[in-house]
Amino acid sequence: MSDTSPARVTAARKAAAGVLLAAPFLVYLAVPSYAKESPRLAGFPFFYWWQLLWVLLTAVCIGGAHLLTRRRGGAR
Amino acid sequence: MKDVEGVELAIFIAVFAVVTVVGFAAARWRRGQTLMHLDEWGLGGRGFGTFVTWFLLGGDLYTAYTFVAVPSAVFAGGAMGFWAVPYGAIAYPIVFLVGPRLWSVAHRHGYVTAADFVRGRFGSKSLGLAVALTGILAMMPYIALQLVGIQAVLTVMGVTGSGWAKDLPLFIAFGLLAAYTYTSGLRAPALISFVKDALIYLVIIVAVVYIPTRLGGWDSIFGTAETALARPNPATGKPAGSLFTNDMTHWAYGTLALGSSLALFIYPHTVTGALAAGRRDVIRRNAALLPAYSLLLGLLALLGYMALAHPGTVAAVKAAGNPQLAVPELFEQVFPSWFAGLAFAAIGVGALVPAAIMSIAASNLFTRNVYAAFLRPDATPEEETRVSQLVSLLVKLGALVFVLGFDKSLAINLQLLGGIWVVQTFPAIAIGLFTRWPHRWALLAGWAAGMAYGTMTAYGTSSPTQRHFGSPLDDIPFVGHTGYIALTAFALNMVVVVAVTLLLRAVRAPEGQDETNPDDYLADADPAPAAPDDPGRSLTGRPV
C-alpha cells in the first residue's frame, strides 16, 4: 500500500464508515419503533413512508462509506 | 374461460421478438477472442462497468418473484408482505463489505464461482462441492418461479387451454431463452436487462402515479385495504392481516428481512453478476446505487394494496383462486389494453433475464466444482464452456419439470426453502473472505447441521392448504417468538462452526492449504484496456 496520505484509509474514517453501514440495520431491525400509523405523510402511514425513506438513506450511508474508504491515487 | 386479449398479446409477442433478437445479437457485443471460455460465456468477459453491472445485478435480483409474489403477499397479508423492503435495503451494506473482497480474490485467482473461492481458501474440494451443490439446489425452484410469473401473465391475457396446448406458450418462451443463453452466455441477459428495466421503470412509474388517481388517492387506498384486511378469513376465522406488524409478527418481519439479506449476495446468480464486473470499484459503487431498485420494489409492493382497493381486481382474483394474479389483473382492468400489454411484457422479460443468469450460474457451479474438480481435472477452458452450455439447458429442463409437476403454492415455499439453504453457505463464503479462523471441517459440519435443521423444520411446517413446507416461519428456540427458519438454522450453523473449530484445533487436525494472500482481497484490475480491434471469433459453424 502506498504511504502518501490520500491513498491511506485512516482508522477514524474506517470507524465512521462502520457506523454508516450499521445504521440501516439498527433502523430496520427495530420493527416496533416504526410499526404505527402516525404521523402520516401524503396519505402514507408512518410504517410505509419511513421504510421507503430509509431505502434512500441506506443508499446515502453506503455512498458515504464508499467515499470515506476510497483509496484515491493508490495502486490498488 | 375468457377470450384471448388480442392487442395485449400482440404487444407481448412483439416485445418478446425484440428481446430474442437482442439475445442472439448479444454474442457479438464487446466480444473477446473466443466465446469458448468460461470467463467469456459464463462471465461476459469479466469487463462490465458500473452502468452495465447496475442493470445486470438489478435484472438479477428483481425478478418475476418480486413483481408478482411480493405484491401478492401484500395483497393477501398486508404489512407482513412488506418485509421485502427492509430486506432490499440492509442487504446492500453486506454487499458493500463482502462483494469487493470476493471480486478481488476471484480476479487474482481466476475464480468463476463462490465455490471456487471456498475450495482455494480452505484447501477443501469437499467444502467447495457442498457450497456448489447447495447453490444448484437453491437455483432450481427459483428458476421455476420465474416460469410461474410468466404463467400468471399469460393466464390474465387469456392464453389458456387444456392439456398440451396450455403449456405450449411457456415452452416457446423457454425454448427461446435456452437458445440465446446457449449461444451468447451472460452477455444475453446483460444486454436484455436494459430493455427490461426501461419497461419496468416506465410501467411502475405510470402505475404509481396513475392508479391512485383512479382509486381516490393514497389515503383511500390504505383505508380500503385496512378494512379488507381486517375482514375475517372464512377458512381460519382470523383477519387476513393488518396494515402494521404487531407484537406477534415483529420478530417474523425482522428475521425474514435479516435472513434474506444474508442470502442475497451469496446466491450463485448474484455472484455471477458481480464477478462479471471489470473493476473492484464497480461493486462498491453498485452497493450504493442498487437500493434504487428497492425503492421500486417498495412501490411495487404497494400495488398489492391498490389491487385490494380495486373491487374488480378483488373479484377476479377470488374467482381464479390465485393471489399471484393480483397485479396482472389490476393492470388488465385499469390500463388500456396496449399499455397492459407493455406491462405484461415487462413482467415476462423480467422473468426471463434472471432465469438466464440463474441457469448460467448453476451450470458454472456444476462445471467448475463438480465436473472439473472431480470428474475431469484436466478439462480445457473450451471443454468447460461446452459442458456449461449443455448443463444450462438441463437446468432449464429441470425447472420446467418443477413448474409443470409441482403445485404452484408449493414452488413459492420451496423458493423460501432455497433461502434457508443458501444462507448455510454464508460462513464459508462471506466469513471466509475476512478470516480463515474457522476450520474447513467445522465449516462442513456447520453447513450440514444448518441444512439438516433448516430442511427438517421447514418440512414440519404446515398451512391451511398444505401439510409440509407450508411456511418459512417457525418458533425460534429459546426466544419464544416466531422467526425465519433460515436465521435460526444459520445461528445453529455458526455455533457448530465455532465449537468444532475449537475442538479440531485442540487435536491439531490438518488445516489444508490456503492458496490466497491477504493482499489478494484488495487487488484491482490493471488499468490497461483490452485491444479494441480484437477480431473476435467467428460465430458461424458452431452447433446450436
Side-chain angles (χ1 to χ4, degrees):
Chain A
M1 192 186 289
S2 162
D3 275 325
T4 53
S5 54
R8 277 235 315 266
V9 179
T10 63
R13 278 167 167 254
K14 273 192 174 170
V19 171
L20 283 176
L21 293 177
F25 288 90
L26 298 178
V27 169
Y28 277 117
L29 294 181
V31 184
S33 72
Y34 56 80
K36 54 189 179 188
E37 166 142 24
S38 58
R40 278 183 173 248
L41 184 75
F44 281 58
F46 184 72
F47 184 76
Y48 297 92
W49 70 257
W50 174 251
Q51 292 191 69
L52 289 174
L53 173 71
W54 266 92
V55 171
L56 292 178
L57 293 180
T58 301
V60 171
C61 285
I62 299 170
H66 167 63
L67 294 179
L68 278 170
T69 56
R70 198 161 46 155
R71 288 184 177 76
R72 259 171 306 170
R76 51 176 182 265
Chain B
M1 202 175 91
K2 56 196 273 188
D3 293 335
V4 173
E5 305 285 342
V7 178
E8 288 172 11
L9 193 61
I11 290 174
F12 186 83
I13 291 173
V15 173
F16 260 67
V18 170
V19 160
T20 306
V21 171
V22 171
F24 282 111
R28 297 168 171 276
W29 180 45
R30 308 169 63 150
R31 108 185 98 124
Q33 272 170 319
T34 171
L35 254 181
M36 295 309 284
H37 192 292
L38 267 194
D39 279 356
E40 290 295 325
W41 184 84
L43 290 179
R46 288 185 182 248
F48 291 143
T50 303
F51 191 65
V52 179
T53 302
W54 188 74
F55 279 101
L56 183 64
L57 279 175
D60 222 0
L61 302 174
Y62 299 91
T63 69
Y65 185 67
T66 340
F67 299 126
V68 173
V70 170
S72 74
V74 169
F75 175 84
M80 267 314 288
F82 211 66
W83 66 267
V85 171
Y87 149 58
I90 60 179
Y92 291 108
I94 300 176
V95 172
F96 180 81
L97 288 173
V98 171
R101 291 179 75 86
L102 181 62
W103 184 90
S104 288
V105 74
H107 177 76
R108 261 295 158 81
H109 291 272
Y111 298 145
V112 177
T113 66
D116 280 350
F117 158 71
V118 168
R119 177 193 36 75
R121 172 67 145 170
F122 294 98
S124 171
K125 271 204 223 172
S126 41
L127 192 57
L129 181 70
V131 170
L133 292 181
T134 310
I136 296 171
L137 187 66
M139 282 291 79
M140 290 285 204
Y142 214 158
I143 299 172
L145 262 174
Q146 308 308 320
L147 295 178
V148 172
I150 298 180
Q151 265 186 334
V153 170
L154 289 172
T155 308
V156 172
M157 281 193 294
V159 184
T160 48
S162 52
W164 188 242
K166 178 168 171 282
D167 297 314
L168 193 62
L170 199 62
F171 284 144
I172 296 170
F174 238 50
L176 290 173
L177 168 72
Y180 60 67
T181 311
Y182 186 98
T183 55
S184 306
L186 194 64
R187 284 183 171 84
L191 207 52
I192 294 172
S193 61
F194 288 102
V195 182
K196 174 213 154 196
D197 283 355
L199 279 175
I200 295 277
Y201 269 102
L202 177 74
V203 169
I204 296 311
I205 289 167
V206 169
V208 168
V209 172
Y210 173 71
I211 299 178
T213 64
R214 286 277 304 265
L215 297 173
W218 285 103
D219 255 321
S220 148
I221 291 172
F222 280 113
T224 319
E226 186 162 30
T227 317
L229 287 169
R231 218 169 285 140
N233 178 334
T236 58
K238 282 186 285 189
S242 63
L243 275 193
F244 312 102
T245 53
N246 55 40
D247 289 342
M248 297 291 291
T249 53
H250 290 327
W251 273 80
Y253 192 86
T255 52
L256 277 170
L258 185 60
S260 304
S261 70
L262 293 178
L264 178 114
F265 195 73
I266 53 175
Y267 258 116
H269 58 293
T270 330
V271 171
T272 298
L275 295 190
R279 279 170 302 111
R280 178 183 164 89
D281 251 13
V282 168
I283 309 290
R284 288 169 56 100
R285 283 199 206 115
N286 265 290
L289 295 173
L290 279 165
Y293 281 101
S294 300
L295 198 62
L296 199 68
L297 170 75
L299 297 175
L300 270 159
L302 293 176
L303 285 177
Y305 285 147
M306 295 185 205
L308 212 48
H310 189 267
T313 304
V314 174
V317 171
K318 194 168 274 177
N322 181 0
Q324 316 297 329
L325 300 184
V327 167
E329 270 297 343
L330 179 69
F331 286 171
E332 158 91 12
Q333 300 203 11
V334 171
F335 288 141
S337 348
W338 66 271
F339 196 78
L342 216 54
F344 295 156
I347 296 177
V349 178
L352 286 188
V353 168
I357 308 171
M358 286 167 186
S359 64
I360 290 169
S363 37
N364 285 352
L365 279 170
F366 175 83
T367 306
R368 295 283 296 202
N369 308 108
V370 181
Y371 185 79
F374 289 93
L375 305 175
R376 287 287 303 267
D378 50 354
T380 63
E382 194 170 346
E383 184 182 344
E384 281 188 4
T385 308
R386 201 163 293 130
V387 170
S388 258
Q389 286 178 318
L390 285 173
V391 173
S392 82
L393 296 181
L394 285 179
V395 168
K396 288 194 199 72
L397 215 58
L400 211 49
V401 170
F402 237 103
V403 80
L404 297 179
F406 288 78
D407 180 36
K408 265 175 229 151
S409 55
L410 186 71
I412 298 282
N413 286 314
L414 282 176
Q415 193 276 336
L416 288 159
L417 191 64
I420 296 173
W421 290 329
V422 161
V423 169
Q424 307 318 320
T425 62
F426 190 87
I429 299 172
I431 296 175
L433 284 167
F434 288 90
T435 170
R436 205 177 176 278
W437 182 82
H439 194 279
R440 51 186 174 154
W441 297 341
L443 286 168
L444 208 53
W447 168 83
M451 290 292 281
Y453 172 84
T455 310
M456 269 155 39
T457 311
Y459 182 79
T461 59
S462 61
S463 74
T465 51
Q466 58 195 72
R467 289 178 52 205
H468 298 295
F469 297 121
S471 159
L473 303 168
D474 198 34
D475 289 335
I476 312 170
F478 312 116
V479 174
H481 289 276
T482 303
Y484 188 23
I485 295 164
L487 208 58
T488 316
F490 174 69
L492 173 72
N493 184 337
M494 286 306 297
V495 168
V496 171
V497 167
V498 172
V500 176
T501 297
L502 291 172
L503 196 73
L504 289 171
R505 287 279 141 74
V507 301
R508 295 178 196 283
E511 292 281 352
Q513 188 75 36
D514 180 1
E515 67 179 30
T516 67
N517 296 310
D519 67 331
D520 289 350
Y521 294 89
L522 303 170
D524 205 344
D526 294 328
D533 55 351
D534 192 314
R537 181 181 181 278
S538 163
L539 286 169
T540 53
R542 227 151 10 90
V544 173

